[in-house]
Amino acid sequence: MIHHQIRLAMRPDAPQDKVDEALDMLRRMGREIDAVVYWTVGRDVGGDFDYGAMFAVKDIEGYRAYMHAPLHRQVDEIGLPLVRNMVSHDLTDDEDPATGDLIRQIHAERFAGDPALVALIEGLGSYEGSSAPGGGS
């Protein structure tokens, strides 16, 4: 299994109705992306973030399908302009040492093929984790 988690601190001026729309879209991802085995979206507890989401997929093929799903890209377009700071990371019980490199490769391919997505990420106050564009952590 691969668990992909994001933590989001919203911009102070983000309209609550738009935040609610973005959270609803994240929930749609859990319900509608076939590769997702289970998921959760809600308030983030115990840190400097407002909300979080976690999506579990069975394997690297499921991860690729999840990351490249058109609905995922729609969520980026709606939600990222509302976000001040974001952390994205992955946890896996896959013992294959190549899995981490494959996860980073999937992110790199996604960013390389979508300059508008890179611009959205670069518009954040901070972004850490899962292979940030430009070779970040």
Side-chain angles (χ1 to χ4, degrees):
M1 294 294 289
I2 301 171
H3 296 83
H4 178 70
Q5 182 174 351
I6 59 171
R7 300 177 79 193
L8 309 165
M10 308 313 284
R11 295 183 186 276
D13 61 345
Q16 189 59 48
D17 64 324
K18 295 296 183 185
V19 171
D20 292 341
E21 178 186 6
L23 294 171
D24 287 343
M25 293 289 290
L26 283 167
R27 291 179 184 103
R28 275 189 59 201
M29 285 175 56
R31 288 190 304 266
E32 296 179 20
I33 297 175
D34 290 338
V36 174
V37 176
Y38 57 90
W39 58 276
T40 189
V41 173
R43 291 178 299 115
D44 189 278
V45 178
D48 296 326
F49 298 91
D50 303 304
Y51 302 100
M54 187 282 305
F55 301 91
V57 296
K58 183 177 177 183
D59 52 27
I60 198 68
E61 291 81 16
Y63 191 85
R64 183 180 308 279
Y66 161 80
M67 291 305 297
H68 289 284
L71 180 56
H72 190 171
R73 185 59 182 86
Q74 288 177 315
V75 171
D76 292 332
E77 196 72 32
I78 291 167
L80 288 175
L82 306 171
V83 174
R84 177 174 41 93
N85 298 322
M86 178 175 167
V87 173
S88 167
H89 68 265
D90 300 288
L91 173 69
T92 183
D93 60 1
D94 186 333
E95 294 185 19
D96 183 346
T99 299
D101 289 337
L102 292 170
I103 288 171
R104 285 185 284 279
Q105 178 184 339
I106 290 166
H107 281 274
E109 290 167 357
R110 186 168 185 250
F111 292 134
D114 192 343
L117 176 59
V118 172
L120 287 170
I121 295 291
E122 289 175 346
L124 300 174
S126 70
Y127 174 79
E128 296 178 27
S130 300
S131 300
S137 61

